[in-house]
Amino acid sequence: MNLALSTNQADQTNTPGAGPCVIVIFGAAGDLTKRLLLPALYNLAQSNLLPKECAIVGVARADLSTDDFRTKMNQAIHEFAKVEVDEQLWQTIEQRFYYLSGDFQDANTYLQLKDLLEQIDADWGTQGNYLYYLATASSFFCTIIHRLGSVGLTNEANGHWRRVIIEKPFGHDLDSAQTLNQTIRRVLQENQIYRIDHYLGKETVQNILIFRFGNGIFEHIWNYRYIDHVQITVAETVGVESRGGFYEGVGAVRDMVQNHLFQLLAMIAIEPPVSFNADAVRDEKSKLLQAIQPLSPEAVLTQVVRGQYGAGSINDTPLPAYRSESRVASDSTTETYAALKLTIDNWRWAGVPFYLRTGKRLPKRVTEIAVQFKQVPSLLFRQTSIDQLTPNFLIIRIQPSEGIHLQFGAKVPGPRVVMSGVEMDFCYSNYFGKSPSTGYETLLYDCMIGDATLFQRSDNVELGWSIVAPILDVWSALPPQNFPNYAAGTWGPADADALLARDGRQWRRING
């Protein structure tokens, strides 16, 4: 994560371009490449952050030539780019694309890849630096890494580097994550492994560290003395779409909680790192995850809620129940919603609950962190018409409208003392201008320069799985009896509201 201080609103001139390299995308014929990675690479080139000594190699089973691949990439960039495509710039990028058709399990594929990379090094001066992006099903991760190692394509020598970006899901549970880590470390060193979480590519998530540790007015009150509780919400309006077969074996906890929500929790709650060095930041994340109070089986029953959406509607559009979706069992027990209460056993957060929720087919697509501050004593207002003080919220909006929002109370004009909630709002696009970012630009760039700050280390991954392990165990032993238990287009099951109500709290109302 490159940090450059500037008084100019959008000055990026202090950011150096990446050095020579080849980016090899396994699974390059899939949606991730054309919808996100390709526009991200174009945006990096437009910002002069993609090196001129660079090439992109697509590897997939589809029977395509390099010319065919370039044609498909040309169609994709014009369809999915978030800005108008500069044709001259695109032509300089397009000629750097290569394609290799092959089976990921076939040793011959990797011998051909080795020959192709040697040719590209000679033609483009990429100096033997290779970034491998595994945009494939997780079942291929170990195979691809093993095969790359067997032909020497992961060896670092003579000053060149070899790095691997691994997409989620990283394991299915704690045991499988540990096995995966052990297997790939037989081939790669930890500093060569970049476990990606695209949420950390979002500007507002990265800004949390600057917001907290770069502004004295906030860090001094960022503790149990002033904060009542924290809510983290990741809500989606979409259902499982065509991914029913995949989602049936995953569910909301595996898909969202142990990675995305825990990453947001860690960023908002960690102690100040000694520097913004990758391992310094990730050390603090590990300490934070270790400090989360383990959930006993009894606590799972009272502090965790699961849900599955039934038929409903959003914006008057009728929507089917999860069990009616394609490739979903008619009696499925897979959760599409999860809410949980966690506590952190350290000095800063003693007694402060963290409430996390995520779900599909909710009324609004939104990701936010809401920090509610403690109320002031109300004795001063006992002889006024104010019967309830307006809660003070600091809201960090991750998507879709990135920004920071402060809610506090103010007197309504007039002779009576009446309080109303007012808002101060900072929106990234209003201040810095709209960004064409896909969220992958920073992550790709950081990997090219060798900065792993925004990537998960093996211990971070395993700690995340260890926290949710009791939840998965209890849910496996006690299948839900009331699914579906919330209608599509609502904010989840009633039990999720009861989770906070037992503590005298409620979920923040998100309009929409």
Side-chain angles (χ1 to χ4, degrees):
M1 182 174 67
N2 184 275
L3 295 176
L5 298 178
S6 173
T7 55
N8 190 310
Q9 289 184 3
D11 182 9
Q12 304 245 349
T13 57
N14 291 328
T15 305
C21 66
V22 184
I23 301 170
V24 181
I25 304 174
F26 287 89
D31 275 358
L32 177 63
T33 299
K34 65 183 182 182
R35 291 176 180 271
L36 295 170
L37 300 183
L38 180 63
L41 290 168
Y42 176 83
N43 292 339
L44 287 173
Q46 196 169 52
S47 301
N48 294 317
L49 297 177
L50 192 69
K52 292 182 173 58
E53 303 85 1
C54 178
I56 299 96
V57 176
V59 183
R61 287 173 291 184
D63 187 14
L64 301 171
S65 67
T66 287
D67 286 341
D68 293 335
F69 185 59
R70 289 175 178 175
T71 298
K72 284 186 173 293
M73 292 300 98
N74 181 63
Q75 294 169 346
I77 195 64
H78 286 87
E79 182 177 358
F80 297 110
K82 295 179 178 289
V83 294
E84 184 177 350
V85 176
D86 180 326
E87 295 299 335
Q88 185 174 357
L89 174 62
W90 170 247
Q91 287 173 15
T92 64
I93 301 171
E94 185 182 39
Q95 63 181 329
R96 308 185 205 178
F97 278 91
Y98 295 81
Y99 185 80
L100 176 64
S101 175
D103 189 317
F104 298 150
Q105 301 186 55
D106 186 352
N108 191 51
T109 299
Y110 300 86
L111 293 173
Q112 294 179 51
L113 177 60
K114 185 175 184 179
D115 290 341
L116 178 57
L117 292 175
E118 289 175 356
Q119 175 198 324
I120 292 171
D121 283 339
D123 292 346
W124 288 98
T126 45
Q127 300 182 17
N129 298 322
Y130 306 147
L131 187 165
Y132 306 106
Y133 198 116
L134 307 192
T136 70
S138 59
S139 57
F140 290 114
F141 292 169
C142 290
T143 298
I144 292 171
I145 291 171
H146 170 72
R147 293 291 188 188
L148 287 170
S150 68
V151 295
L153 285 176
T154 58
N155 297 340
E156 294 186 321
N158 303 319
H160 60 237
W161 53 260
R162 309 283 165 86
R163 299 171 188 142
V164 180
I165 294 180
I166 303 177
E167 271 283 348
K168 79 175 185 82
F170 196 89
H172 185 74
D173 52 23
L174 178 57
D175 288 344
S176 60
Q178 289 173 330
T179 299
L180 182 54
N181 276 326
Q182 292 165 5
T183 302
I184 63 178
R185 281 202 297 259
R186 293 178 189 139
V187 179
L188 301 169
Q189 300 296 315
E190 179 63 34
N191 62 9
Q192 294 179 275
I193 307 166
Y194 289 69
R195 301 169 188 82
I196 198 168
D197 185 332
H198 68 268
Y199 264 60
L200 296 186
K202 298 180 184 300
E203 285 293 340
T204 315
V205 176
Q206 297 170 51
N207 190 53
I208 292 172
L209 298 181
I210 300 297
F211 177 81
R212 284 189 55 195
F213 303 129
N215 294 289
I217 60 173
F218 296 113
E219 181 57 21
H220 294 303
I221 59 172
W222 214 255
N223 57 60
Y224 73 94
R225 290 194 180 100
Y226 303 99
I227 292 176
D228 179 79
H229 72 278
V230 178
Q231 299 180 20
I232 302 177
T233 299
V234 178
E236 301 178 281
T237 56
V238 297
V240 293
E241 309 301 320
S242 60
R243 300 168 68 238
F246 163 79
Y247 201 82
E248 272 289 82
V250 179
V253 167
R254 288 185 170 96
D255 190 41
M256 300 295 291
V257 174
Q258 67 84 28
N259 44 56
H260 299 327
L261 270 79
F262 283 176
Q263 286 297 307
L264 297 179
L265 171 61
M267 296 289 269
I268 206 71
I270 62 171
E271 293 299 312
V274 295
S275 72
F276 282 115
N277 171 274
D279 277 331
V281 173
R282 297 191 295 182
D283 285 346
E284 294 305 328
K285 285 185 178 181
S286 285
K287 293 176 187 176
L288 188 283
L289 293 173
Q290 289 174 42
I292 292 176
Q293 185 173 14
L295 292 168
S296 66
E298 294 75 21
V300 171
L301 298 177
T302 58
Q303 292 180 213
V304 186
V305 173
R306 55 180 156 173
Q308 185 189 92
Y309 65 82
S313 64
I314 296 178
N315 298 327
D316 298 323
T317 301
L319 298 169
Y322 174 73
R323 291 176 175 180
S324 299
E325 301 276 17
S326 174
R327 300 171 67 194
V328 171
S330 60
D331 59 350
S332 173
T333 59
T334 298
E335 81 283 359
T336 61
Y337 178 98
L340 56 157
K341 171 187 174 181
L342 297 175
T343 54
I344 298 172
D345 288 335
N346 65 15
W347 178 89
R348 181 185 293 267
W349 298 113
V352 178
F354 285 74
Y355 301 102
L356 284 62
R357 62 174 169 170
T358 183
K360 292 187 176 297
R361 290 295 191 211
L362 301 185
K364 185 176 183 180
R365 174 179 172 264
V366 61
T367 299
E368 69 166 41
I369 302 169
V371 179
Q372 181 172 332
F373 293 93
K374 290 183 176 179
Q375 298 279 47
V376 298
S378 58
L379 293 176
L380 176 65
F381 301 93
R382 62 189 171 188
Q383 309 215 353
T384 73
S385 57
I386 296 174
D387 59 357
Q388 188 171 0
L389 297 177
T390 301
N392 299 148
F393 270 108
L394 177 71
I395 298 135
I396 299 174
R397 296 191 306 266
I398 311 299
Q399 65 180 13
S401 176
E402 294 183 302
I404 299 172
H405 172 102
L406 182 63
Q407 175 182 303
F408 57 95
K411 179 182 175 296
V412 176
R416 296 171 60 235
V417 180
V418 179
M419 178 181 282
S420 178
V422 297
E423 301 169 348
M424 294 177 66
D425 200 55
F426 158 65
C427 182
Y428 266 79
S429 61
N430 291 342
Y431 191 81
F432 295 109
K434 290 187 177 180
S435 168
S437 172
T438 67
Y440 280 78
E441 289 83 359
T442 298
L443 299 171
L444 287 168
Y445 171 77
D446 281 358
C447 186
M448 285 189 282
I449 65 172
D451 185 344
T453 305
L454 298 177
F455 296 84
Q456 294 200 66
R457 203 169 57 190
S458 61
D459 57 335
N460 296 166
V461 172
E462 292 175 14
L463 285 166
W465 279 117
S466 68
I467 295 167
V468 301
I471 301 173
L472 300 175
D473 290 343
V474 170
W475 287 0
S476 176
L478 299 173
Q481 303 299 312
N482 61 342
F483 276 6
N485 59 353
Y486 72 98
T490 64
W491 279 107
D495 285 348
D497 295 327
L499 176 67
L500 273 70
R502 286 195 294 270
D503 296 339
R505 301 183 176 96
Q506 61 185 7
W507 293 107
R508 193 185 87 83
R509 182 177 177 182
I510 301 174
N511 296 323

